[in-house]
Amino acid sequence: MLDLTYEMPKPKTIAGAKHDWELVIGMEVHAQVSSNAKLFSGASTQFGAEPNSNVAFVDAAMPGMLPVINEYCVEQAVRTGLGLKADINLVSAFDRKNYFYPDLPQGYQISQLYQPIVGEGEVLVEMGDGTARMVRIERIHMEQDAGKSIHDMDPHMSFVDLNRTGVCLMEIVSRPDIRGPEEAAAYIAKMRQILRYLGTCDGNMQNGNLRADVNVSICLPGAYEKYQETQDFSHLGTRCEIKNMNSMRFIQQAIEVEARRQIAIVEGGGTVDQETRLYDPDKGETRSMRSKEEAHDYRYFPDPDLLPLEIEQAWVDDIAARLPELPDAKKARFIGTFGLTDYDASVLTAEVESAAYFEDVAKGRSGKLAANWVINELFGRLKKEDHDITASPVSPAQLGGIIDLIASDAISGKIAKDLFEIVYTEGGDPAQIVEERGMKQVTDTGAIETALDEIIAANPSQVEKAKVNPKLAGWFVGQVMKATGGKANPKAVNELVSKKLSS
């Protein structure tokens, strides 16, 4: 947990008619590997291509076609495992998972059940209130994605697009360590952040490149602690899996809805059936999709077309040596090096591009001042216009130039905001703009004093009021700023006003 200390968050509790119930949640995250080619063929993984245009003979399951492993996909899986502080298995193997679905041409999926490429790891999930949950990763295995069935193009027919068939997925399976809807969403957000930092998945949930199956169960208070002591699942309730969730908002809603459904069943004297369910956000309910299959239902067996996958420790070590700085380490460094608050560091490291932008701005400058301008001014404006940092019209050098002008007392904070607006909309060099447009603040105390004397002479009654009530001195400050077009140095103005009114 680096140098940051967190308390464990309390589990989510839902009041039933008879008891209070706690939630227990496990996640299976399906992350599409960032790769130009598929797991067992050279076909393109480009999103949005014409239907069935990115399909090799292997993907279409043509007779006699044999899969050939994509080494880069293996490297991406190893990199992900290392980023999650997980064990890397030097020997792993592929199995056939047999089931029928219209967009699965082979009639089976090549996956890894018995010998996954990545073993146990962990993810620190911060909740933003000084608490964090350490979620254990059980395993990561590689598998082929299926195609896509399209049901809304014709009232009588369904269509199949095989472009996604054979794309490499990493299935990242957690232990049942998550204890509430907010934690589940935070876990997905953290996983997405780590994957994007690693460059192993783009995290695009809208395109389905990152989606999750959510396992939900309920238990009475104290039962989870017994499970933790014994690792005996009988202390927990029967879990149901909510399939293919690709929205953090819907994940939270689905967990709440499913937990309340299970509570109603159990308190009504019934039993929860282990099954796979779908969440309907329009109706605000989960509905049964199919009974939950076990491993034997899929008739797993080793894939006869693929030898066991053997990798060398030296290769793993080389990948580890090339890992980028990951979010937790970067956040701790930002707090320590730049003196940022936990919140500001979290905002700035949320995306790898945002962190890089901030570092460029803060280089050789006040970290706190840089953070304030990046978060409040730049991020605020970008959010208002629904842009991300990659679309910023203000470069790090330009924003840094504005900060330099503030630090040198060339401009005031108010002038800086006007300058930011000019740079944001028109571009240009901040120092040159200030010079050409006469935006430098007035630091000549003689000029400020002259303006102040004129205001005092013209407002004797206001002077008397201010001497009785010092809080009214702010009126004089405002008048001087107005008289100088907002260019007077605020600190110098305040000092002169205080001096004049006390004499």
Side-chain angles (χ1 to χ4, degrees):
M1 295 176 69
L2 305 170
D3 296 326
L4 306 179
T5 304
Y6 300 94
E7 293 181 7
M8 188 77 75
K10 294 180 180 178
K12 168 83 172 181
T13 301
I14 296 179
K18 299 178 181 178
H19 305 284
D20 285 343
W21 296 87
E22 292 181 357
L23 277 62
V24 181
I25 301 160
M27 308 284 279
E28 298 170 13
V29 174
H30 300 266
Q32 180 176 312
V33 168
S34 292
S35 169
N36 292 329
K38 296 181 180 181
L39 181 56
F40 297 116
S41 82
S44 171
T45 60
Q46 178 190 5
F47 180 81
E50 285 294 314
N52 298 303
S53 61
N54 293 343
V55 185
F57 289 142
V58 171
D59 308 321
M62 292 297 177
M65 294 298 102
L66 297 176
V68 178
I69 191 75
N70 181 340
E71 181 179 330
Y72 184 70
C73 290
V74 178
E75 181 180 337
Q76 291 287 66
V78 170
R79 183 179 288 109
T80 300
L82 292 170
L84 299 178
K85 304 174 186 175
D87 300 326
I88 306 300
N89 297 322
L90 299 182
V91 178
S92 60
F94 288 98
D95 308 290
R96 287 188 181 180
K97 179 182 181 182
N98 296 274
Y99 64 96
F100 171 77
Y101 211 70
D103 54 23
L104 191 69
Q106 296 160 310
Y108 60 84
Q109 179 188 43
I110 301 178
S111 183
Q112 293 184 310
L113 175 67
Y114 301 108
Q115 293 177 277
I117 190 165
V118 177
E120 295 184 347
E122 62 184 28
V123 176
L124 180 69
V125 181
E126 300 163 49
M127 300 304 297
D129 58 358
T131 65
R133 177 82 64 190
M134 186 63 80
V135 178
R136 295 169 296 165
I137 301 300
E138 179 182 326
R139 56 187 279 150
I140 303 175
H141 61 261
M142 293 185 292
E143 63 185 19
Q144 299 170 299
D145 204 350
K148 183 179 181 181
S149 296
I150 304 166
H151 307 294
D152 56 1
M153 291 180 62
D154 188 282
H156 306 294
M157 294 186 294
S158 291
F159 296 87
V160 174
D161 180 3
L162 297 181
N163 278 350
R164 203 169 64 187
T165 301
V167 168
C168 181
L169 290 180
M170 297 178 289
E171 182 166 334
I172 306 169
V173 183
S174 83
R175 297 285 185 182
D177 292 347
I178 302 165
R179 307 303 310 282
E182 295 80 11
E183 284 187 26
Y187 171 80
I188 294 294
K190 185 61 175 285
M191 185 63 69
R192 178 182 181 275
Q193 181 190 36
I194 293 172
L195 294 173
R196 282 175 56 79
Y197 265 69
L198 290 166
T200 56
C201 174
D202 66 16
N204 191 324
M205 299 183 77
Q206 186 176 352
N207 293 348
N209 295 355
L210 186 72
R211 53 195 189 268
D213 299 339
V214 186
N215 291 283
V216 181
S217 66
I218 57 171
C219 68
L220 292 171
Y224 184 81
E225 287 69 24
K226 292 179 181 177
Y227 154 71
Q228 287 283 47
E229 291 173 9
T230 63
Q231 295 299 299
D232 183 352
F233 284 98
S234 67
H235 294 293
L236 305 179
T238 301
R239 74 182 188 276
C240 290
E241 180 183 61
I242 309 171
K243 197 75 175 172
N244 285 333
M245 303 293 294
N246 66 346
S247 159
M248 284 183 266
R249 180 164 62 92
F250 288 161
I251 284 173
Q252 293 183 73
Q253 293 175 1
I255 290 171
E256 185 92 19
V257 166
E258 175 59 22
R260 293 187 183 279
R261 184 190 74 88
Q262 293 182 20
I263 290 169
I265 291 172
V266 174
E267 291 196 339
T271 56
V272 175
D273 294 325
Q274 184 174 338
E275 60 183 349
T276 300
R277 301 181 69 84
L278 293 174
Y279 175 62
D280 186 333
D282 295 325
K283 295 182 179 180
E285 64 181 22
T286 63
R287 63 174 183 269
S288 182
M289 179 182 177
R290 60 175 181 262
S291 60
K292 179 66 177 175
E293 297 91 346
E294 301 294 344
H296 62 264
D297 294 315
Y298 290 115
R299 305 185 311 283
Y300 278 99
F301 63 86
D303 192 296
D305 293 332
L306 291 160
L307 291 170
L309 182 61
E310 298 183 11
I311 58 179
E312 297 179 350
Q313 184 62 50
W315 188 62
V316 175
D317 292 341
D318 179 62
I319 296 171
R322 292 183 282 111
L323 287 182
E325 183 181 40
L326 293 174
D328 289 344
K330 191 177 291 290
K331 177 181 173 180
R333 181 169 63 81
F334 278 16
I335 290 173
T337 303
F338 298 111
L340 304 185
T341 64
D342 184 278
Y343 173 79
D344 285 353
S346 294
V347 172
L348 291 167
T349 56
E351 298 286 350
V352 65
E353 297 88 357
S354 298
Y357 186 101
F358 165 75
E359 284 216 73
D360 283 345
V361 174
K363 196 174 297 180
R365 302 183 178 98
S366 163
K368 291 182 179 179
L369 187 58
N372 179 56
W373 275 88
V374 171
I375 294 172
N376 297 324
E377 300 302 326
L378 182 62
F379 286 1
R381 182 63 178 271
L382 291 173
K383 184 177 181 181
K384 185 178 178 181
E385 299 183 359
D386 198 26
H387 295 315
D388 60 30
I389 192 66
T390 60
S392 172
V394 180
S395 70
Q398 287 173 315
L399 188 54
I402 294 173
I403 293 171
D404 289 340
L405 291 167
I406 298 171
S408 67
D409 278 339
I411 60 174
S412 64
K414 181 181 182 303
I415 295 174
K417 292 190 177 183
D418 295 336
L419 177 59
F420 176 82
E421 180 64 24
I422 294 170
V423 173
Y424 192 96
T425 56
E426 301 175 24
D429 175 59
Q432 189 175 346
I433 292 169
V434 166
E435 195 67 42
E436 291 177 350
R437 303 195 187 189
M439 298 175 71
K440 280 190 176 180
Q441 75 174 345
V442 178
T443 55
D444 179 5
T445 54
I448 297 172
E449 188 170 8
T450 298
L452 178 57
D453 286 342
E454 291 176 359
I455 293 166
I456 288 175
N459 298 276
S461 61
Q462 194 70 17
V463 172
E464 294 305 317
K465 291 178 183 178
K467 287 184 175 182
V468 175
N469 183 3
K471 291 182 180 179
L472 296 178
W475 183 84
F476 290 93
V477 174
Q479 292 301 305
V480 173
M481 296 303 293
K482 184 178 179 181
T484 59
K487 296 178 183 177
N489 184 309
K491 183 180 178 182
V493 174
N494 276 285
E495 288 175 355
L496 279 171
V497 168
S498 177
K499 178 181 176 183
K500 293 280 186 179
L501 293 180
S502 62
S503 61

